């Protein structure tokens, strides 16, 4: 153990034990950085001794992770490393249980302290402990959303560090009939795939060799940064899209990036190769198929539906459009549904009887909103006649529906209407950052409206107790949000957290005529009693076979949550 440093030299507050422990932690980190692991371990052990004396759980959480790295570097002792990581996870779980009931606090805290879960799972996979690895991955998945859904339904969340708690979570899949769960996690360049059916199978894969060899040391996050996979789908010819994006901010960003890339290309001959820093090229849908599907394709055979649990940046993947070398799309064979975690799905399935309405639909189309303030700037929104026609068409198909069009589609009217209906449909402008929806400002709004007057935000949704079985967000970019350890923090997550059983969202900008046809086929099947997953599957197939064969036309929508069905106008 290192000699105790004279504390009066380090801090004006003599006896500040927290500061002393923090200083030893910093010293340990410095020595670890330069590869002097034995010295680093000494300082970390001193720091953790002091932190235990003063009961500083958060600092212990951090130090245990550092000690696990020391164990691996000094002796390769995976058992000792796992022991430290388990201790770190225990501390993390304790802190999360005592955090204020504020969603954003939990998201920020876990974004900072997710590393022990990932490293623990990686070490378990390397040691052949695939079940234990999956257990810890699930424990760290969508934690804040799990708390929201648990509070919404007054249902106890079951998963904990106790392995027995995980068995109940897995029953969600094992008792689900002819469905298979594809559970995805990643750490650095390594991708971990679990197939959950009656039993659990595991495959470990890596990024394409071409990427690793070309760019060297590239991680999954590097490859998918700025949602590069979807970049080409966000830009549509103006004549094909009336643009339901809120001010086209994402499209403008992409255009600026493209212009910058063109400028760099023209300058590269004048620059030394060593001075040019290039981003990795975005992977093709075929390459993503090879990363995520090909390694487990034989294990998926015979299933009707794949329930995908993505990890962070993989939420941007249009799984339905992934294809093999013969150009067979994944959705040619399987229905596909996304869930943030198996725990979230189980909480929804276990929701008390009467939590969700069986009747009523609220259809919102082309809200009347033009001149507004957005992020401090005066902006103008274009009209959406295609969205109006879509909403009117759906209202004709659905009995017991209430249609809010134009001036009627106020933010106040929507917030009053959504808590009591079984289905909600929005056809409006969507914010390209978080998917939030532009509505008609209320009559009481004076002058040019600000965001709080017209924008249906995540905060607004979090204040409402929904009974909807399905929320359809037929607005551009409604699958978007900040990609955190928590998952995608955007409007879709807000609807799930407030009680919606499932949400249909758009991954990119929507093409008018294609979206109208897609929604017509989707709702025609829905009113016949087919499940939302089956309706999505049939609509995609119809589109591909009837003149809408481009991926951007038939694959923008993704179903998140439960697979619900309706009995419109029928005896239940």
């Amino acid at each position: 153990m290192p000699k105790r440093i004279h504390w009066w030299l380090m801090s004006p507050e003599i006896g500040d034990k927290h500061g002393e422990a923090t200083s030893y932690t910093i010293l340990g980190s410095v020595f670890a950085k330069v590869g002097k692991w034995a010295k680093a371990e000494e300082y970390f052990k001193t720091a953790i001794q002091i932190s235990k004396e003063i009961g500083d759980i958060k600092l212990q959480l951090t130090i245990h992770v550092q000690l696990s790295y020391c164990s691996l570097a000094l002796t390769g002792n995976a058992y000792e490393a796992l022991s430290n990581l388990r201790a770190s996870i225990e501390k993390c779980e304790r802190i999360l249980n005592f955090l204020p009931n504020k969603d954003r606090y939990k998201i920020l805290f876990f974004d900072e302290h997710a590393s022990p879960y990932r490293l623990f799972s990686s070490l378990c996979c390397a040691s052949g402990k695939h079940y234990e690895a999956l257990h810890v991955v699930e424990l760290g998945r969508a934690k804040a959303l799990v708390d929201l859904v648990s509070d919404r339904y007054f249902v106890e969340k079951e998963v904990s560090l106790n392995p027995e708690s995980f068995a109940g979570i897995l029953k969600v899949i094992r008792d689900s009939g002819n469905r298979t769960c594809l559970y995805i996690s990643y750490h650095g360049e390594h991708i971990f795939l679990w197939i959950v059916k009656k039993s659990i199978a595991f495959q470990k894969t890596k990024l394409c060799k071409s990427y690793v060899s070309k760019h060297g040391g590239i991680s999954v996050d590097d490859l998918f940064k700025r949602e590069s996979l979807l970049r080409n789908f966000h830009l549509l010819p103006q004549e094909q899209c009336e643009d339901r994006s809120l001010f086209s901010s994402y499209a403008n960003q992409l255009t600026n990036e493209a212009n910058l890339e063109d400028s760099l290309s023209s300058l590269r001959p004048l620059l030394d190769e060593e001075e040019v820093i290039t981003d990795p090229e975005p992977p093709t849908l075929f390459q993503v198929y090879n990363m995520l599907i090909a390694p487990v394709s034989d294990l998926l055979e015979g299933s009707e539906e794949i329930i995908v649990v993505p990890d962070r940046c993989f939420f941007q993947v249009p799984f339905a459009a992934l294809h093999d070398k013969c150009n067979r799309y994944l959705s040619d064979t399987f229905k596909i549904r996304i869930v943030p975690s198996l725990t979230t799905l189980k909480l929804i399935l276990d929701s008390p009887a009467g939590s969700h309405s069986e009747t009523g639909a609220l259809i919102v189309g082309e809200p009347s909103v033009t001149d507004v303030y957005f992020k401090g700037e005066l902006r103008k929104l274009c009209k959406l006649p295609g969205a109006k026609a879509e909403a009117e068409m759906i209202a004709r198909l659905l009995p017991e529906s209430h249609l809010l069009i134009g001036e009627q589609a106020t933010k106040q009217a929507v917030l009053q209407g959504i808590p009591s209906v079984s289905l909600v449909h929005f056809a409006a402008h969507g914010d390209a950052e978080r998917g939030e929806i532009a509505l008609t400002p209320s009559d009481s709004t004076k002058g040019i409206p600000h965001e709080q007057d017209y924008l249906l935000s995540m905060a607004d949704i979090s204040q409402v107790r929904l009974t909807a079985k399905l929320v359809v967000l037929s607005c551009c970019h409604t699958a978007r949000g900040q990609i955190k350890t928590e998952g995608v923090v955007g409007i879709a997550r807000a609807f799930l957290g407030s009680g919606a059983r499932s949400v249909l969202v758009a991954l990119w900008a929507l093409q008018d005529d294609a979206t109208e046809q897609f929604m017509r086929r989707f709702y025609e099947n829905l009113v016949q009693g087919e499940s939302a997953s089956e309706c999505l599957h049939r609509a995609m197939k119809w589109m591909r076979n009837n003149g809408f064969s481009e991926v951007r036309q038939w694959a923008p929508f993704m179903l998140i949550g439960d697979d619900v069905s309706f009995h419109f106008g029928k005896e239940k």
Side-chain angles (χ1 to χ4, degrees):
M1 187 173 291
K3 185 178 178 181
R4 295 288 279 266
I5 294 172
H6 292 294
W7 186 239
W8 60 270
L9 293 174
M10 303 181 67
S11 170
E13 297 180 10
I14 298 175
D16 183 353
K17 294 290 185 180
H18 171 75
E20 186 178 3
T22 301
S23 297
Y24 279 112
T25 304
I26 293 170
L27 283 170
S29 299
V30 171
F31 280 104
K33 190 78 173 175
V34 296
K36 295 185 177 181
W37 293 101
K39 199 70 175 174
E41 186 177 53
E42 289 181 19
Y43 282 116
F44 286 137
K45 285 183 175 179
T46 302
I48 205 162
Q49 178 184 327
I50 299 169
S51 65
K52 286 179 178 177
E53 290 174 7
I54 61 176
D56 191 332
I57 298 175
K58 186 177 179 182
L59 190 55
Q60 291 173 50
L61 185 167
T62 302
I63 300 169
H64 275 300
V65 176
Q66 298 297 336
L67 283 170
S68 70
Y69 284 113
C70 290
S71 298
L72 293 172
L74 287 170
T75 64
N77 190 334
Y79 179 82
E80 187 177 339
L82 286 169
S83 177
N84 272 297
L85 290 169
R86 180 176 287 275
S88 181
I89 291 169
E90 287 173 350
K91 303 296 186 294
C92 190
E93 294 292 309
R94 282 182 61 185
I95 294 172
L96 282 166
N97 287 334
F98 286 102
L99 277 179
N101 196 22
K102 292 284 188 181
D103 188 44
R104 63 188 180 92
Y105 291 165
K106 295 177 181 178
I107 292 171
L108 290 172
F109 177 83
F110 196 65
D111 217 39
E112 183 181 354
H113 297 289
S115 61
Y117 296 81
R118 292 180 193 145
L119 185 55
F120 188 99
S121 178
S122 298
L123 288 177
C124 283
C125 288
S127 305
K129 300 176 180 178
H130 304 140
Y131 181 92
E132 191 172 356
L134 180 58
H135 172 202
V136 172
V137 167
E138 174 64 23
L139 183 62
R141 192 60 60 89
K143 292 187 75 68
L145 179 59
V146 165
D147 286 345
L148 286 177
V149 177
S150 176
D151 292 344
R152 168 64 182 85
Y153 297 128
F154 305 104
V155 177
E156 196 74 27
K157 55 183 179 182
E158 297 179 20
V159 69
S160 69
L161 267 173
N162 181 353
E164 293 181 6
S165 70
F166 189 44
I169 301 298
L170 290 180
K171 281 177 64 66
V172 168
I173 300 300
R174 288 172 170 168
D175 297 344
S176 66
N178 198 14
R179 295 185 173 108
T180 297
C181 174
L182 170 59
Y183 206 113
I184 305 172
S185 181
Y186 67 88
H187 189 73
E189 68 180 61
H190 298 282
I191 302 172
F192 308 104
L193 306 172
W194 290 266
I195 293 294
V196 183
K197 292 196 275 194
K198 296 299 181 184
S199 60
I200 297 176
F202 172 78
Q203 286 287 343
K204 179 180 175 180
T205 185
K206 296 173 71 172
L207 292 180
C208 299
K209 289 183 180 179
S210 59
Y211 285 111
V212 177
S213 61
K214 183 177 180 180
H215 300 282
I218 187 173
S219 69
V220 172
D221 283 320
D222 293 330
L223 186 57
F224 286 85
K225 66 181 177 181
R226 293 202 304 269
E227 299 192 346
S228 57
L229 178 65
L230 302 183
R231 181 173 303 188
N232 294 333
F233 298 117
H234 281 291
L235 302 177
L236 287 173
Q238 187 63 42
E239 65 271 13
Q240 295 181 4
C241 179
E242 63 190 16
D243 200 352
R244 299 183 193 182
S245 308
L246 200 59
F247 312 119
S248 306
S249 58
Y250 188 74
N252 291 337
Q253 172 193 334
L254 294 177
T255 301
N256 292 336
E257 289 175 1
N259 291 338
L260 177 60
E261 181 63 25
D262 290 341
S263 299
L264 284 174
S265 297
S266 65
L267 288 172
R268 279 180 188 133
L270 307 178
L271 299 173
D272 293 330
E273 286 185 14
E274 296 175 348
E275 295 178 341
V276 178
I277 301 173
T278 59
D279 286 339
E281 298 170 0
T284 64
L285 296 175
F286 171 58
Q287 288 169 328
V288 179
Y289 178 95
N290 282 338
M291 291 181 210
L292 303 182
I293 306 301
V296 294
S297 58
D298 58 328
L299 299 170
L300 297 172
E301 291 178 2
S303 299
E304 291 181 358
E305 181 180 36
I306 303 173
I307 298 174
V308 184
V309 187
D311 187 10
R312 290 165 287 164
C313 67
F314 286 133
F315 273 93
Q316 70 172 285
V317 172
F319 284 90
L322 300 185
H323 63 85
D324 62 17
K325 61 183 179 182
C326 298
N327 285 321
R328 286 189 297 261
Y329 293 109
L330 195 61
S331 55
D332 281 332
T333 307
F334 306 101
K335 295 183 288 185
I336 299 167
R337 183 159 40 107
I338 308 297
V339 296
S341 70
L342 293 180
T343 307
T344 306
L345 181 59
K346 189 173 191 305
L347 288 169
I348 293 172
L349 295 174
D350 290 347
S351 59
S355 297
H356 298 93
S357 175
E358 293 291 340
T359 59
L362 181 69
I363 315 299
V364 180
E366 199 197 13
S368 180
V369 52
T370 52
D371 295 324
V372 296
Y373 281 111
F374 183 70
K375 296 184 177 180
E377 294 184 13
L378 183 61
R379 309 297 291 268
K380 191 177 189 68
L381 283 164
C382 62
K383 291 186 177 297
L384 299 174
K388 178 183 178 183
E390 176 186 310
E392 291 172 338
M393 175 268 293
I394 293 167
R396 289 192 294 270
L397 287 172
L398 298 183
E400 305 175 2
S401 63
H402 179 50
L403 180 62
L404 294 176
I405 291 286
E407 295 289 347
Q408 299 174 321
T410 64
K411 181 175 174 178
Q412 181 181 9
V414 168
L415 288 172
Q416 289 175 347
I418 59 177
S420 59
V421 295
S422 185
L423 185 147
V424 183
H425 182 100
F426 289 95
H429 286 291
D431 174 28
E433 291 183 13
R434 299 191 295 187
E436 295 175 323
I437 301 165
L439 299 171
T440 305
S442 301
D443 293 336
S444 59
T445 302
K446 298 186 184 301
I448 298 174
H450 292 260
E451 285 99 319
Q452 67 270 21
D453 301 315
Y454 68 90
L455 199 62
L456 185 65
S457 67
M458 294 190 295
D460 293 324
I461 297 301
S462 69
Q463 301 301 313
V464 179
R465 294 180 64 84
L466 294 176
T467 61
K469 292 164 70 175
L470 175 64
V471 176
V472 178
L473 302 176
S474 184
C475 319
C476 295
H477 318 295
T478 45
R480 286 179 57 77
Q482 290 183 310
I483 297 178
K484 301 284 190 181
T485 298
E486 172 74 7
V488 177
V489 181
I491 196 73
R493 177 182 177 275
F495 277 109
L496 287 173
S498 294
R501 288 188 79 100
S502 57
V503 187
L504 187 68
V505 296
L507 285 159
W508 53 72
L510 301 177
Q511 185 174 319
D512 291 341
D513 55 344
T515 303
E516 180 186 356
Q517 290 299 320
F518 182 96
M519 286 300 169
R520 182 181 298 276
R521 307 309 156 189
F522 179 85
Y523 278 101
E524 284 175 349
N525 285 294
L526 199 67
V527 297
Q528 295 301 316
E530 299 291 349
S531 72
S533 180
E534 178 68 22
C535 294
L536 178 62
H537 183 64
R538 291 188 182 187
M540 286 181 174
K541 276 195 167 184
W542 186 93
M543 295 285 286
R544 287 198 295 269
N545 296 329
N546 288 272
F548 298 94
S549 57
E550 292 183 25
V551 168
R552 71 166 76 243
Q553 296 174 315
W554 63 262
F557 290 102
M558 178 171 71
L559 183 65
I560 306 175
D562 190 18
D563 190 16
V564 299
S565 57
F566 296 84
H567 303 276
F568 297 112
K570 298 181 181 179
E571 236 180 87
K572 296 183 282 291

